[in-house]
Amino acid sequence: MGCVSSNSAQGGSDNKSEDEATKIAKNQRRKLSVAPQHEGGGGVSGSANANRKASVMEGIGTLTKLELEGKGSLEVVSKSNKGHVPYSKKKVNQDRPMVKFSMQDDPELNLFGVMDGHGEFGHLVATYVQENLPTCLAKQKCLKDDTEKGILDGVKECVTDLPDMKINTAFSGTTCVFGVMNKSKLYVANIGDSRCVMCRQINGDNTEAIELSRDQKPEDPGEKERILAANGRVEPLPGPPGEDCGPPRVWLKDVDVPGLAMSRSIGDDVSQAVGVISVPEIKTHDVESNDIFAIWASDGVWEFMSSKEAVDLVWRYRNDLPKAVDELCGEATRRWKQEEEVIDDITAVIVLFNPPK
């Protein structure tokens, strides 16, 4: 979910009339992650705009000898699909995958994650995090011995440096869910409503989906308390009585902006003024021999698919991970088509830690 103002559906409607665009937007707004003028508009190459085939190189690039040592026996695939908004031709893919092996030139420190940008310049914020967070983390001398502190300090540095990029982040930002693997221990940090899920093999074909992150929503008690204390509001989009106006969003006290549908993000300056924060929640997980794979994915995957459904689908194709990530993103797209006329950007990174028994 992204950032919208209550009247944002009336702009950027291409060849449609304002009334028609507004009607369409009203029908979609329960799930719509970006309103028309907040879809991104330039600054991204054509390749970032297209649906991408599953690839071990997506978000990875050419690996050095040291990075190959860090990768070791891990199998990593990712895929990113641009979403679809029927009344706008300007939609760009605002999701970004992130994979980095051998941080600090240490083969025991690896990084995996996904960003989900929102707002007019969300794709730029997501790209900034994709390109700079690995460096900010690697600069933390304590990352190996005190990984949680290293993550918190690295994220803080990345967020602090964002204004230097001169990106307009008043109403634009990104989620970020990522995992730092230190030897066999996984530290999963989450900012927003993207998600990480581990597949644990119980016995035979029976699996358990272990959620390693928590979707951070404005209505969550602790998150809501912080937002209200900062003079913000948590309410759905304004609308007529009885109309489904979607999930609770973050608003200024007396103005119907920004309408952010998550309680933590990177960027989103206006939202940050009323209690939205960029501090990640961190969960730790010891990767055991029956922990087979983990999925990092944007909320385009999770909107109509449970964690267990995603794990079961990937498990079905566990011996062919490129096929698995293709099927996961394809199924997510099919479910969006069944429920909505809009389709969110859909991105997943899958890491195979151990072969199934």
Side-chain angles (χ1 to χ4, degrees), residues 24-97:
I24 294 173
K26 183 179 292 186
N27 290 336
Q28 315 304 337
R29 66 186 183 183
R30 180 173 63 90
K31 297 290 191 317
L32 184 57
S33 62
V34 284
Q37 74 257 41
H38 294 305
E39 289 165 1
V44 180
S45 66
S47 63
N49 228 349
N51 293 349
R52 296 166 171 179
K53 293 182 179 180
S55 170
V56 294
M57 305 309 294
E58 179 70 41
I60 300 174
T62 303
L63 301 181
T64 66
K65 182 178 179 180
L66 188 60
E67 288 170 335
L68 285 170
E69 186 179 348
K71 180 179 179 296
S73 62
L74 297 174
E75 186 175 353
V76 184
V77 296
S78 72
K79 183 169 184 173
S80 187
N81 286 353
K82 184 185 75 169
H84 172 69
V85 179
Y87 48 89
S88 177
K89 300 177 182 179
K90 298 180 180 180
K91 180 77 179 75
V92 301
N93 189 345
Q94 296 189 300
D95 285 2
R96 297 291 183 271

Side-chain angles (χ1 to χ4, degrees), residues 22 34 39 46 97 173 180 251 300 305 319 323 334 346:
T22 300
V34 284
E39 289 165 1
V180 173
W251 309 95
M305 191 180 303
N319 296 318
K323 175 70 170 176
R334 284 189 288 273
I346 293 171

